[in-house]
Amino acid sequence: MAARRMTFRHIEAFRAVMVTGSMTEASRRLHTSQPQVSRLIAQLEAITGLPLFDRSGSRVIPSLDGTRFHAEVERAFVGLTSLEAAATRIRAFGAEQLRVAAMPRLAGGLLARAVVRFRVAHPDVIVAIHSGDDETVDHWIATGFCDAALTMLYGDVPEGRLDHVETRACVAVLPQDHPLADRAALGPEDFRGVPFVATSLGSALRDRTEAVFDAAGIPLTITAEAGLGASICTLVSAGLGVSVMNPLAAHEEAKVSPIAIRPFAPALPVHFALLFPPDHARGRLMRAFGACARAVLLEELAVLPDAVPRRPAS
């Protein structure tokens, strides 16, 4: 008897359960029965050989394997979504569309404002905004799923498909009542033995930060980790430690979180830039959107306190 093979129906059920956290809710979303969804999930676990969920009464909780498998599923669906979007554009007699991306902090603010400005001049163009972590955004651009992205890069600026806008230096963030808040500027020596909230392990900022502290001979006393700037600032404001992060996110979060911001040296540069797919021909619309995004980004950076020298695009 031939082994059962994975089908689209299996993946559709899996995604629905991941989103809803319930076999019953997933069945409603898929307009099928709860037993049918349960069978599909059981079959998928047998096919993959992975325990995708931990059952707890009527709720199902993704296992570690399930979470990792879901990340791969979502990557695969990027291609499928791209095909669906292409079909939609064809049905609309070639209506033009741009797909743009950024990490959540940029997508919800800067990128959205760039889209608004772009649409004033190009009201007939459909613009879709996608947000994800830096690795996901880079994947979307590398595969051509998205036409452009606003990005922040730490370290050297790569050549080729990236248009550099401006470079700033990362800043130190700490609770407003922290003893170090009395100092005008901070460096690695000031953080010796001080609890530190780090970015996620493996991120570019984490690698760069550790390199700066290693060079100074100061071990980081990491007490918490977070992937998003908003989460880092929440942990810092709650007194869990200090941190180092990009100035745009820091000053945005300072509007809602009680944190102090100070210059940090040696400089840990962050490059704000526009990213495009490789070998992508930038037509009139893409150039127009790039100009809007660049202008909005420069306006936002211009109002930040000029704590450190800036380096504009050459």
Side-chain angles (χ1 to χ4, degrees), residues 244-258:
V244 174
M245 63 190 301
N246 82 77
L248 193 61
H251 286 282
E252 188 70 17
E253 291 303 326
K255 298 175 183 177
V256 295
S257 297

Side-chain angles (χ1 to χ4, degrees), residues 8 47 54 139 198 240 258 297:
F8 179 78
I47 292 167
D54 297 322
H139 176 74
L240 269 68
L297 182 54

